[in-house]
Every structure is written in C-alpha cells, then in structure tokens.
Amino acid sequence: MAKPTPLSGFPELLPAARAVEREVISSLSRTFELHGFANIETRVVEPLERLAKGGEIDKEIYVLRRLQAPDDAESADETGSERQLGLHFDLTVPFARYVLENAGHLEFPFRRFQIQPAWRGERPQEGRYRQFTQADVDIVGKDALPFHHDVEVMRVMVRALGSLPLPPLSFQVNNRKLIQGFYRGLGIPDVTAAIRQIDKLDKLPPETVAELLVEHAGATPEQADRCLELATIRVSDPTLVQRVQALGVVDELLSRGLAELASVLEGCADAVKASDGRVSVEANLRIARGLDYYTGTVVEIYMEGYERLKAVGGGGRYDALADDGRTTYPGVGVSFGISRTLLPLLADGVLEGSRAVPSVVLVALADEESRPAAEMLADRLRSRDIAAEVAASPQKYGRQIRYAERRGIPFVWFPATEHGESDQVKDIRSGEQVDADAATWGPAEEDLRPGMVVSTSSTDEPGSIDERQEA
C-alpha cells in the first residue's frame, strides 16, 4: 500500500500532543461540573434544512449521504432516514434542536456543557481547520432567563480558562442593548445594519467603516463619527458608565445595556483575580458579533501573542434561538475553540506533553520465564491506579532502561531475585534507585499521568522555550 496523502484541515495529534488536549478537556470539564453544568453529547449530523439557514456558513457545510442512496425523495422511509443530512459546523445549532426535542425531560434553567468535534469546509489555515474540537457552556431558560445567568456563564468560563497554562487570555465584552440603544438614540435609520458594519472594524480601517455606515445604515457622517467614538471605548473598571454617558446620547435600551455590561465586569472580578493574570475581562464597545440572534451580552476571547488567530472563543445572550411556536427558550453561553487554541501552541512548542505514554512504570524482565510474575507485579501497581507495563523482551537491563527513556516512562521496576533481595525502582531521570514494595510505593502526583509542559520563557518569541515546568 502506498503512503497515504494527508488530508488538509483534518489534524491528527501524536500521543504526547493528544495528552495535552485530553488534559485541557479534563480541566474544563472539572470546572464546568463544579459549577453544576451537566455534560451532553449531541449527534454529529442534522437535517440540512436545519443547518442551512441562508447564512454565510451554508457553503461550508459537509453533506452526508450513503454512497448508494436513492436520489428520489419517494424512496425515503417514514422516518425520513434518507433526508439530506449535514455534519454540524458548531455546537449551538444541535444544542437548540436538543432542547426542543427533550424539553419535557429537562429541568429549566438547564445548565449544560458540551465538548465535541465540529466540521466546516473552509480553507485550512493556522487556527482554522475542517475538523476541530470546541467546548461550549450554556444556560437555557423557559420563556425567561434572568440576567444574572449572563454574569454566571462569563464567570464560569473565566474560571475554566484561568485554570489552564495558556498565554494570557482577554475577554472582550460588550452588550447589544447598549450599542442598539446608542444607535437608536442617535437616530440611525437601520440599527441592525449599523451593528454589522461596526463588526468589521477588526478587518477594515475606521474611515472605511464610517463610509459603510453611511451607505448601508443610512447614518449621516456626523452619526457615523459618533458610532466610531463609542467603538473606541475600552475599559475594565467602573469608569465605563461615566465614559459612555459623557457621549451625551440618551435612550432607555442604552441605559439597560450599560448597566448589564457593568454588572458583567463587576461579577467577573473575583474570577479574574483568582486567575493570577492568566485572564482579563474588559469592556470593548467595538465588539458586536455579527450574528443576529445575539440580544444582550456578547463576548470575544483573544490570546496574547496570537492575535493573528483572531478570536479563540466567543458567545453571548440569545433570547430566541430555540422556539417551538408555543414556548421560547432563551439562553446565554460561551464557546472556546480547543483546536483553534492548542494546535498553534503545540506547533510553536509553547505547550507539549510531558510524555507520550500513560505508563509510569516499566517492569523489567530478567528472562522470559519471569514474565508471569512481572505481569502480576504490574497488576498490583495498576490496582492502585499506577499505570504500568512489562518490558517487551528480557534484554540487558541497560537496554530496557533506554527503552523506557525512548517511551518517556519515568520509572523502571526491578523485581527481586530468588536470593531474597528487595524489589527496587529507579527514577531514570535522576538516576535514584531505592527499595520498593508494590503495595505501598507510589510516584509523585505529577508523574501519575501525562501532563502539559509549558514554556516559562520571558522572550517575545511565542514558541521559544528556555526551561519547562509541569502544569
């Protein structure tokens, strides 16, 4: 068989890198569960008509069908098994469907987190892949969802990401009510169009956005300048309210959105402090998020040194994402791009796995006849949650030690001989070798499982590594 050609945009990790991804997923899951969020997993396919809503993403949907599927709709069975299906491109669309289908079995407000792959048929590049894993956390209510859940979801994601050894992350928060009220108070004819144009400020210069506001939102040049003036405000302290009020625009919706945004900043302050500088939360009145279903709080997450990736996470409040015609299910949530964040860090050497295998101990073999006894010894260690494997062959001990080194296994266990000596275990990193008993010996906590090794370099080069520490 010829060597296979890699598929661009479908990344596969080597074992050590996969250990990093698994540790990140495990850490996020622990934090979400500590805050009472239940884990769910939705199917990977949805009916094409649910995925394709006439939006920008439509052309990137992967369609799924059987190779010999009939072409005519009449061939479909009563369950619609031959309906056109597509792979989900995010976790929000399947979650909305999940809520509608299972509303009678859920207790509201429903608190869920979901960590799954998604698929988009876009051009692969750094931080953008055709298959990628993301983590979503949401709270959904029935007909109503009090605002305090906005603060809670943001605070939970700040705590979750603040527990990870990533470059500093910045939560850039805004409120759609604030900007809608401001534009309405200015008298701009098409508020929705104005939001869409302001959302282009990260791609276009301000003067171009001002022209688009005039052209597409019906703003006057003076109104466009005021919109840009609002968009320049970035602050992480209580002066936010005074700075917005100083612009002199009055509107009830603006006042409500401003109060909500100030509450998010205040509510996240303790989580920011607990992150020891790993996470910051800042009001950025340029953030609009172009999707029309956002109705209140909006957030985008950026990673220091990797601004070229654009946002590595985002989300906000949506008051009518799920609706069955009788009941509306409003919600608020944040999504974090695990693949989008980790793959560039792994490629740059900023993160790497501490070892490629889960084994903590290699049990050495004196000869092939001793293999059953070695397997029993390994089982005694495994019964105490210490991962162990037996040497592949009874080579000289020096070769077995080198085998453990190549595999990244930190300890080699030498069983006692028939002359009555004690078992001994060797830390092959330090060279220290001590007597040991499989019933009582244990490694240091950080050696029990593969973990993350992070750069502690203070240089400006994102991928440089001077020394490493376990995370």
Side-chain angles (χ1 to χ4, degrees):
M1 179 179 177
K3 185 176 180 180
T5 303
L7 285 176
S8 178
F10 295 89
E12 293 180 324
L13 300 177
L14 292 172
R18 172 61 176 157
V20 173
E21 184 182 55
R22 290 187 64 194
E23 181 59 30
V24 167
I25 291 172
S26 176
S27 177
L28 292 173
S29 299
R30 284 196 300 271
T31 302
F32 296 152
E33 289 173 348
L34 282 172
H35 289 81
F37 289 80
N39 180 235
I40 69 167
E41 183 172 295
T42 56
R43 65 196 187 204
V44 303
V45 298
E46 297 291 335
L48 200 54
E49 66 267 19
R50 181 173 290 277
L51 292 173
K53 297 292 187 180
E56 191 66 25
I57 196 70
D58 289 3
K59 62 180 179 294
E60 299 174 359
I61 296 172
Y62 280 109
V63 176
L64 183 74
R65 67 191 299 268
R66 291 189 296 116
L67 186 61
Q68 300 298 328
D71 293 328
D72 59 309
E74 294 180 0
S75 301
D77 61 27
E78 292 180 357
T79 63
S81 61
E82 298 298 350
R83 295 166 67 187
Q84 277 198 299
L85 302 175
L87 298 177
H88 61 229
F89 53 79
D90 69 4
L91 301 182
T92 303
V93 173
F95 177 53
R97 187 266 311 156
Y98 179 94
V99 169
L100 290 175
E101 285 190 3
N102 297 286
H105 305 283
L106 302 176
E107 185 67 30
F108 293 96
F110 177 49
R111 307 155 67 86
R112 88 70 158 98
F113 78 93
Q114 193 170 346
I115 303 177
Q116 280 185 244
W119 293 265
R120 289 189 183 185
E122 59 182 350
R123 183 175 66 86
Q125 54 187 298
E126 184 187 35
R128 289 189 178 274
Y129 312 100
R130 290 170 172 166
Q131 178 177 316
F132 53 93
T133 299
Q134 62 186 57
D136 283 20
V137 59
D138 289 79
I139 301 177
V140 174
K142 190 173 184 178
D143 289 324
L145 185 71
F147 167 74
H148 66 80
H149 292 297
D150 291 41
V151 179
E152 180 182 9
V153 164
M154 296 300 159
R155 185 168 60 234
V156 168
M157 188 60 91
V158 168
R159 288 192 179 278
L161 298 184
S163 300
L164 299 175
L166 303 175
L169 295 164
S170 173
F171 281 62
Q172 302 289 307
V173 190
N174 199 358
N175 192 291
R176 291 287 284 260
K177 295 173 187 172
L178 187 161
I179 51 181
Q180 285 175 318
F182 187 88
Y183 300 158
R184 190 172 74 179
L186 279 177
I188 292 178
D190 192 336
V191 170
T192 301
I195 291 175
R196 290 199 186 103
Q197 307 317 313
I198 288 294
D199 199 42
K200 298 175 182 177
L201 275 172
D202 61 341
K203 303 174 183 176
L204 300 173
E207 55 271 18
T208 302
V209 173
E211 294 172 359
L212 293 174
L213 286 167
V214 173
E215 179 182 354
H216 296 290
T220 66
E222 293 75 18
Q223 289 172 333
D225 288 341
R226 300 294 299 281
C227 291
L228 293 175
E229 193 175 355
L230 179 75
T232 62
I233 294 177
R234 293 183 63 168
V235 63
S236 57
D237 57 47
T239 61
L240 166 70
V241 175
Q242 289 77 17
R243 291 190 60 179
V244 174
Q245 291 175 340
L247 297 178
V249 178
V250 178
D251 183 90
E252 184 274 333
L253 190 62
L254 164 63
S255 298
R256 191 151 30 112
L258 183 57
E260 288 183 357
L261 181 56
S263 294
V264 170
L265 295 181
E266 181 181 359
C268 291
D270 60 337
V272 169
K273 184 177 180 180
S275 75
D276 292 328
R278 286 176 169 171
V279 178
S280 62
V281 177
E282 179 182 44
N284 182 345
L285 304 195
R286 179 197 64 76
I287 301 297
R289 294 193 63 80
L291 294 174
D292 290 339
Y293 60 71
Y294 288 116
T295 55
T297 303
V298 287
V299 62
E300 292 183 353
I301 306 170
Y302 294 87
M303 185 163 61
E304 185 177 302
Y306 287 83
E307 290 79 7
R308 63 184 184 270
L309 299 177
K310 305 300 182 185
V312 297
R317 159 73 71 139
Y318 42 90
D319 281 327
L321 184 63
D323 188 333
D324 62 7
R326 300 183 307 275
T327 305
T328 299
Y329 299 92
V332 58
V334 184
S335 174
F336 175 65
I338 292 177
S339 300
R340 187 178 181 84
T341 303
L342 290 188
L343 293 180
L345 295 178
L346 290 165
D348 287 348
V350 176
L351 285 180
E352 61 183 31
S354 59
R355 60 181 188 262
V357 297
S359 302
V360 184
V361 175
L362 177 76
V363 180
L365 275 179
D367 49 51
E368 196 58 42
E369 288 70 27
S370 63
R371 182 175 295 277
E375 290 287 1
M376 289 179 62
L377 193 154
D379 278 340
R380 292 178 68 192
L381 293 171
R382 293 166 188 147
S383 70
R384 298 177 50 238
D385 203 29
I386 299 172
E389 62 180 88
V390 176
S393 60
Q395 299 175 310
K396 292 181 178 179
Y397 280 162
R399 290 188 176 183
Q400 294 186 55
I401 292 172
R402 286 193 292 274
Y403 173 79
E405 286 177 331
R406 292 195 301 272
R407 299 261 291 158
I409 302 172
F411 296 95
V412 175
W413 193 287
F414 301 102
T417 67
E418 66 274 11
H419 300 298
E421 299 97 332
S422 299
D423 287 12
Q424 292 197 323
V425 65
K426 182 183 184 71
D427 185 335
I428 62 175
R429 301 161 298 184
S430 66
E432 182 182 12
Q433 185 166 325
V434 297
D435 291 346
D437 184 340
T440 58
W441 177 87
E445 180 70 25
E446 61 268 21
D447 285 329
L448 269 175
R449 291 170 183 81
M452 286 181 279
V453 180
V454 301
S455 170
T456 57
S457 170
S458 60
T459 68
D460 294 330
E461 182 68 31
S464 64
I465 299 176
D466 292 340
E467 58 178 302
R468 304 181 190 278
Q469 62 181 10
E470 291 287 340

